[in-house]
Amino acid sequence: MSRPILATINLAALRQNLAVARQAAGGSRLWSVVKANAYGHGIARVWQSLVETDGFALLNLEEAILLREQGWKKPILLLEGFFHQDELAMIDQYRLTTSVHSNWQIQALAKAKLSAPLDIYLKMNSGMNRLGFPPDQVHNAWQKLRSLDNVGEMTLMAHFADAETSEGIAGPLQRIEQAAEGLNCARSLANSAATLWHPQTHHDWVRPGIILYGASPSGQWQDIASSGLQPVMTMTSQVIGIQHLTAGSAVGYGGQYRASGEQRIGVVACGYADGYPRHAPTGTPILVDGVMTQTVGRVSMDMITVDLTPCPQAGIGSQVELWGNNVKIDDVAAAAGTVGYELMCALAPRVPVIVE
Ligand SMILES: *Cc1c(COP(=O)(O)O)cnc(C)c1O
């Protein structure tokens, strides 16, 4: 048998999470966000478990084409639109909905020779200051696009910088409503956090991403613990070595961790080259042989070391869960100073993946 690390993708959990997102979204239509290769889960692997969605939202033309070639006929939204005007030929051919966030894109749309009008999402900057037209330019951009023969259905899109709290969405919502006044436009505003927690943002289309994969938009698992959402990705490996420390002996690079007394340590075949966060400090939760314990010492490229004190029965070959149903990816991420999003997306190509 080869190196024991494995990522398992639970398709039933994915379907369940879509149902939870739908329930939360009420009557709004739903874009399943599958950018970044479905948040590291593999778009080709997972999209068929999400066919109950109304559309898929992503960034790459390549990913959009893959969905079309695999048979998805319903809407696909390019969240950042096109990066160069020559992409419009493919967007036309594959009938993609594109967002429009800058004036140059309006000009490109005006000039393009298309087989039929394209549906567009006009992206407004509601305060995050990333992509989009400032509120006072929305009317003008909308009217310009509306006048183009190349433009079909139009929707106003905005994105929240801080959708965890009501205070975080109040300001942007107000700016959006002001900018949209008199346009009588369809709207798409809500990411996962807004879909779960702020019904006043739902409007016509919601755009959840992270909750489909069973992690928390806030980074705190307890915020979704009672929502019915289930982790989709489980990363497992095995103990491949055992060390017996005596008081004062150190573990791993830099000798950062020192035993205060006798201590049994397990060496696990998983490191930062697999996507485990190098910044995870001593104390990061991990499950060994069914028992919750913690990492000790620095994460190496190919290995991490764990405290076996709570699981004296564990030995070489013992099963380890790095994250999944028992060890929440949000908890590992929080220990490492990041969010579940980053860990999922960083799943390394060298980790074998199976679906169940
Ligand atoms: C990534 C993204 C989303 C989904 O965000 P989640 O927090 O994962 O739900 C929605 N809208 C836009 C524009 C995005 O880029």
Side-chain angles (χ1 to χ4, degrees):
M1 196 187 136
S2 61
R3 195 163 170 262
I5 193 163
L6 186 66
T8 306
I9 306 296
N10 181 344
L11 298 178
L14 198 61
R15 278 191 290 271
Q16 155 82 4
N17 295 344
L18 176 60
V20 169
R22 263 228 188 276
Q23 183 80 29
S28 304
R29 279 183 285 174
L30 188 147
W31 294 107
S32 290
V33 180
V34 292
K35 64 189 177 185
N37 202 20
Y39 289 45
H41 293 67
I43 193 166
R45 229 175 252 131
V46 304
W47 76 269
Q48 275 154 325
S49 302
L50 294 170
V51 289
E52 297 296 321
T53 193
D54 299 300
F56 286 107
L58 42 69
L59 302 187
N60 272 330
L61 213 40
E62 290 75 12
E63 290 178 337
I65 292 170
L66 179 142
L67 285 177
R68 283 285 183 253
E69 285 180 343
Q70 296 203 355
W72 177 252
K73 297 200 166 56
K74 292 206 270 183
I76 298 177
L77 170 63
L78 297 173
L79 287 164
E80 294 183 1
F82 44 98
F83 302 90
H84 303 283
Q85 77 178 53
D86 52 14
E87 287 164 63
L88 279 168
M90 299 290 247
I91 291 174
D92 179 29
Q93 181 184 341
Y94 290 96
R95 295 282 95 206
L96 310 176
T97 302
T98 179
S99 76
V100 173
H101 57 77
S102 292
N103 276 311
W104 74 265
Q105 292 173 319
I106 301 182
Q107 286 151 20
L109 269 168
K111 275 187 278 177
K113 301 256 177 296
L114 303 179
S115 63
L118 288 175
D119 293 342
I120 66 107
Y121 266 46
L122 176 63
K123 178 79 183 274
M124 140 173 195
N125 171 15
S126 60
M128 190 178 195
N129 292 312
R130 230 168 42 174
L131 290 182
F133 292 93
D136 61 355
Q137 291 180 24
V138 166
H139 247 266
N140 188 256
W142 184 278
Q143 303 302 356
K144 270 199 251 171
L145 282 161
R146 190 60 291 163
S147 70
L148 300 180
D149 292 339
N150 277 339
V151 171
E153 274 180 42
M154 290 174 56
T155 303
L156 183 68
M157 165 161 74
H159 190 56
F160 296 110
D162 172 21
E164 279 96 78
T165 63
S166 311
E167 305 84 73
I169 57 154
L173 257 190
Q174 201 181 358
R175 287 189 277 276
I176 293 160
E177 289 319 311
Q178 249 165 25
E181 222 177 286
L183 290 181
N184 189 24
C185 55
R187 294 171 180 69
S188 175
L189 314 178
N191 57 8
S192 289
T195 301
L196 281 185
W197 299 318
H198 305 294
Q200 72 273 36
T201 65
H202 289 171
H203 288 285
D204 303 85
W205 285 84
V206 296
R207 305 187 308 271
I210 192 73
I211 56 175
L212 300 178
Y213 310 99
S216 175
S218 68
Q220 300 293 318
W221 168 258
Q222 75 255 32
D223 289 343
I224 60 164
S226 57
S227 62
L229 296 168
Q230 295 169 10
V232 173
M233 183 192 292
T234 299
M235 177 113 99
T236 53
S237 190
Q238 287 178 5
V239 174
I240 59 167
I242 300 285
Q243 296 294 339
H244 296 271
L245 306 186
T246 52
S249 47
V251 180
Y253 287 114
Q256 274 189 334
Y257 177 82
R258 277 179 195 280
S260 56
E262 293 202 357
Q263 190 177 6
R264 220 166 140 254
I265 295 291
V267 180
V268 177
C270 174
Y272 62 77
D274 300 299
Y276 196 85
R278 183 174 173 280
H279 288 107
T282 291
T284 302
I286 188 164
L287 190 83
V288 178
D289 203 21
V291 179
M292 273 296 207
T293 179
Q294 56 174 33
T295 64
V296 292
R298 210 175 255 172
V299 174
S300 307
M301 183 184 288
D302 311 309
M303 284 172 268
I304 51 176
T305 37
V306 299
D307 180 19
L308 295 183
T309 311
C311 39
Q313 77 291 351
I316 292 195
S318 286
Q319 226 16 55
V320 175
E321 181 183 300
L322 287 315
W323 59 68
N325 280 320
N326 302 287
V327 183
K328 301 301 186 255
I329 198 168
D330 292 310
D331 294 337
V332 177
T338 183
V339 286
Y341 297 75
E342 186 182 10
L343 301 193
M344 293 173 181
C345 293
L347 180 72
R350 81 174 186 184
V351 177
V353 179
I354 60 166
V355 292
E356 61 170 29

